[in-house]
Amino acid sequence: MTAETETHVRLATLRLLNRVVADLNATRDLKDTLQAVVDGVVSGLGFGVAAVNLVRADGDLEVAAVAGNDELRKAMAGQIGSREGWDRILAAAEPWGPLRFLGHRSGLADVGDVPSWIPDLPIGDHPEAWHPRDALLAPLHTPEGDLVGVLSVDLPVDGLRPAPWRREVLGMFAAQAAIAVDNARLRSDMQRAVARLEREQLALRASEESFRQAFEYAPSGMVMTGVRGHEQGQLLRANDALCRMLGYPAPVLKRLGLGALAHPEDRPLLAGHLGGTVPVAGCTELRLARSDGTYRWVSLRTSQVADGLGDLRFGLTHVEDIEDRKQREQALVHEASHDPLTGLPNGRELRARLAARFGPGAPLPGTAPVPAGSVGSVGSVGEVREPYADEWAMPAGAILSIPEGAVVVVDEPPAAERRGVALLFCDLDGFKHINDNFGHHIGDVVLKAVAERLTAAVREGDTVARLGGDEFVVLADGIGREEAEEMAVRLRRALSMPIPAEGLAVPLEGASFGIGWAEEAAEPEDLLRIADEHMYANKRRRDRAQRRAG
C-alpha cells in the first residue's frame, strides 16, 4: 500500500470513527448505548462481530449487546462470566496498548466460566492470519479508572490480525465507548432513582391522604399535638368527631387546646399524659368541658408519629367517649353504697364516711394538736392550762403530753358552745303496725317519705343514711350540742305529720332519736353503738312517760 493510499484509508477510518462516536453519543439509554457500541465496531471499524460484557452491580460481567452474527447473539446474549475469570484472562492476554490480545498460542486453553465463542472459519497460511481461537479485548475504563465493561471483537474483515493503526482506532473508540456507557449507566441509575422517588412520593401522598381520611372521618375523636419547638403541646388539628363530641368548631377547639378544656382536677393527668409520663401504650381517663358547660368523660391514648428518619413529627391522640361507661360504673358504685328503696347512703357507705373521720393520723373530730412549746396560763401546780385557738374544739378534761412532762388541761367550755361530729340515730315508732295494717307496699311509700323529710330537715352537707328496716342515721359534722338537740326536735316534728300514700293519710306514731358524739368513741362501730343505746334509752323514757300519761 502506498503512502497516499494509506493516508486515504486513515482519513476514511477517522470519518467512520467520527460517525460511530456521534451515533454513540446520540443514544438516550443504556441499552441503546451498548447496542450502538457493538454496531459501530461492526459497521465502521472493520470487524465482523462484537460483544459488550457489562459489569453488573454484583461485579460479574454479563453479555449485554452483540452485533454481526445472529447465531452469536442467540448463543451469547445474557451469558454471565465471573469477575475473577475475566481478571485472569485480561492478566494473561498480551497488551496491545489499551487493548488485550489473547492469541491461540497464549497457553490459556481454559477460559473458565467466561462466555466464549469460536467461529467456524478456515485457518489461513498468512503469518498474520486470524486464528479461530484468537480474541481481541478492549477493557472499557472510565477516566477515573473504573472498569464498566469489556468490548470483545472478532473476525477482522481482511482475515488478518489488525495492524497498529486499526488497533489505535479501536483503542480510541473503546475510550469513547467507556465514557458513553458510564454516562448512560449514570443516566439509567438516575432515571431509576427518579422513578423510584416518584413512586415513593406517590405512595407517600397516598399514605398521607389515607391518613387524612382516616383522621377526619374516624368515628371517635382524634387530635394531633405538636412535639417540637414552638408547637410543642399545641393542638394542631382535631377531627370532626371530636368537634361534635365537645360541641366546638375546629378553629375554636384548636385555639383553646385540651389543657383549657380539662377539668381543673384532671389537668395534672392531662399534663402527665401528653408530657410522656404515662406509657405510650397506656391510657388516661379524664373529663373535658363541652361548649354547654358540662363535662364529658373521655379516655386518651397517644402515639408518637415519626418521619422516615426517626424524628418525631407529632403526637396522635385517640379521644374515646366513655361517658356511658362512667355513668354505668357510677351507677354500680351508687347501687353498692346506697339504699335501693330510698336512695340514701346505706350502712356500708355510712361506715366508710365514718372511717374517714377515724382514719390513721386523723385527729378525733372536734380536736386538734397543741403546738409543742406553747405557753398557757398557770393553773394548779404541775399543770398548764392552754387557751387553744379553737377553744371549744377539745373535749373537756382532755390531757395532752407537753415537753418535759408538762401537761395541758383544757378547761371545759359550756356544752352548748362545743362543736364536733354528732351521729343522730333515728328509729320509727310503731312502723310494724303500718306494714301489718296497710301492707308492705304502703310501708315502702312511708319509708321513702321519711327519707325525703329527713333530708329536707338537715343542714347542707349532713349525711342522711338508712341502716335498714325503719332505722335511719344523720351524720352531722361541726355541730354544737344544743344545735344537735334542736336538729333532733326538728326531725321528730318533720316525722309527726301523716304521710299521704295512695289516697291514704298514714299516721306515724313518732320517732325516737339518740345522739352519739365522735369524741366518746374510738371506732366507728362504737359511735353507732353509743347513738343506738341513747336512742333506745330515749324510747324507753318516752314509753314510760306515755304510760304514766295514759
Side-chain angles (χ1 to χ4, degrees):
M1 180 183 298
T2 64
E4 182 179 355
T5 304
E6 183 177 354
T7 299
H8 284 294
V9 170
R10 290 192 176 193
L11 286 175
T13 303
L14 288 175
R15 291 192 189 97
L16 288 174
L17 178 62
N18 183 66
R19 179 178 60 79
V20 169
V21 170
D23 293 342
L24 186 64
N25 292 327
T27 56
R28 301 300 302 171
D29 57 27
L30 180 60
K31 181 179 179 181
D32 290 344
T33 299
L34 295 173
Q35 193 60 46
V37 170
V38 293
D39 288 344
V41 171
V42 172
S43 63
L45 300 185
F47 293 91
V49 294
V52 172
N53 299 269
L54 184 68
V55 176
R56 305 192 315 172
D58 60 4
D60 293 338
L61 283 76
E62 177 183 359
V63 179
V66 179
N69 188 294
D70 290 339
E71 293 183 1
L72 175 63
R73 181 181 296 106
K74 294 177 182 179
M76 297 285 288
Q79 295 295 314
I80 299 173
S82 68
R83 180 62 178 265
E84 293 77 8
W86 274 105
D87 289 341
R88 185 165 57 90
I89 289 176
L90 293 176
E94 178 184 351
W96 282 4
L99 308 179
R100 296 293 183 269
F101 175 67
L102 189 64
H104 62 282
R105 296 191 179 91
S106 64
L108 188 64
D110 181 16
V111 295
D113 60 354
V114 174
S116 60
W117 178 71
I118 301 175
D120 184 14
L121 58 87
I123 301 175
D125 296 334
H126 193 282
E128 296 296 319
W130 185 264
H131 193 276
R133 292 186 176 276
D134 288 344
L136 184 57
L137 309 173
L140 304 180
H141 288 102
T142 65
E144 294 76 20
D146 297 328
L147 182 70
V148 297
V150 176
L151 173 62
S152 174
V153 301
D154 207 336
L155 301 180
V157 293
D158 57 2
L160 302 176
R161 294 181 180 181
W165 165 246
R166 194 173 298 278
R167 299 177 197 172
E168 184 178 353
V169 171
L170 181 59
M172 289 190 293
F173 178 73
Q176 293 298 317
I179 295 174
V181 170
D182 187 50
N183 290 338
R185 188 174 62 177
L186 290 176
R187 283 197 305 270
S188 179
D189 292 343
M190 185 171 61
Q191 290 170 353
R192 284 195 298 270
V194 170
R196 183 173 63 253
L197 181 60
E198 290 177 349
R199 289 194 301 269
E200 291 174 353
Q201 289 177 339
L202 288 174
L204 178 60
R205 285 195 291 269
S207 175
E208 290 179 344
E209 177 61 20
S210 177
F211 171 80
R212 187 191 68 80
Q213 292 190 9
F215 179 89
E216 292 294 341
Y217 301 114
S220 55
M222 302 287 284
V223 170
M224 292 171 57
T225 52
V227 295
R228 295 184 298 189
H230 68 281
E231 291 184 343
Q232 187 169 6
Q234 292 186 8
L235 197 157
L236 304 179
R237 183 182 297 179
N239 71 346
D240 187 59
L242 184 63
C243 294
R244 293 195 307 271
M245 182 192 305
L246 300 179
Y248 295 100
V252 175
L253 196 58
K254 181 179 178 181
R255 184 175 68 253
L256 291 174
L258 294 182
L261 300 179
H263 191 282
E265 297 176 0
D266 298 340
R267 285 171 186 169
L269 291 175
L270 178 65
H273 184 88
L274 298 180
T277 58
V278 176
V280 173
C283 63
T284 300
E285 296 181 356
L286 48 81
R287 291 158 290 181
L288 294 180
R290 302 184 75 253
S291 59
D292 59 6
T294 61
Y295 283 92
R296 199 160 192 86
W297 278 99
V298 298
S299 172
L300 304 183
R301 189 180 297 273
T302 298
S303 302
Q304 303 294 336
V305 180
D307 56 22
L309 300 177
D311 296 327
L312 293 181
R313 293 181 58 195
F314 55 84
L316 181 64
T317 301
H318 176 233
V319 184
E320 181 183 0
D321 187 343
I322 59 171
E323 180 68 23
D324 292 342
R325 174 168 69 79
K326 279 292 183 180
Q327 289 184 357
R328 289 193 298 271
E329 291 176 356
Q330 292 170 358
L332 291 174
V333 172
H334 188 273
E335 289 177 6
S337 60
H338 286 71
D339 176 53
L341 177 63
T342 63
L344 296 177
N346 57 18
R348 181 179 180 181
E349 175 65 13
L350 175 67
R351 287 173 173 83
R353 297 186 186 186
L354 283 174
R357 290 168 170 79
F358 284 82
L364 284 177
T367 68
V370 177
S374 342
V375 178
S377 59
V378 178
S380 59
V381 177
E383 295 182 348
V384 177
R385 299 190 179 274
E386 175 66 335
Y388 195 67
D390 183 357
E391 57 182 347
W392 312 133
M394 295 181 63
I399 299 177
L400 298 178
S401 295
I402 298 297
E404 301 298 326
V407 177
V408 171
V409 178
V410 179
D411 291 325
E412 181 179 0
E417 298 181 7
R418 298 180 63 241
R419 309 185 72 82
V421 175
L423 189 70
L424 285 73
F425 203 108
C426 172
D427 181 80
L428 300 181
D429 297 334
F431 181 73
K432 183 177 183 300
H433 296 159
I434 295 177
N435 280 334
D436 293 342
N437 296 332
F438 297 96
H440 286 277
H441 66 290
I442 295 297
D444 289 345
V445 174
V446 169
L447 290 175
K448 288 191 283 188
V450 167
E452 293 172 358
R453 291 184 181 184
L454 291 175
T455 302
V458 299
R459 305 171 309 167
E460 183 179 358
D462 292 342
T463 297
V464 179
R466 182 189 178 204
L467 295 184
D470 60 348
E471 295 180 336
F472 295 83
V473 169
V474 176
L475 176 62
D477 202 345
I479 191 170
R481 292 181 180 270
E482 287 186 1
E483 190 177 1
E485 294 288 349
E486 292 173 356
M487 178 184 289
V489 173
R490 187 169 64 250
L491 296 176
R492 187 178 295 114
R493 287 174 181 170
L495 300 181
S496 64
M497 301 296 293
I499 294 176
E502 298 185 3
L504 302 174
V506 181
L508 290 175
E509 296 182 9
S512 299
F513 286 85
I515 304 176
W517 293 90
E519 64 194 44
E520 303 170 350
E523 299 290 341
E525 290 299 328
D526 295 337
L527 181 56
L528 281 168
R529 177 181 52 78
I530 293 170
D532 184 46
E533 290 174 352
H534 290 171
M535 183 272 298
Y536 275 107
N538 289 332
K539 184 185 288 286
R540 286 192 296 271
R541 284 195 297 270
R542 292 180 65 234
D543 289 343
R544 286 195 299 269
Q546 288 175 359
R547 285 196 297 270
R548 285 196 300 268

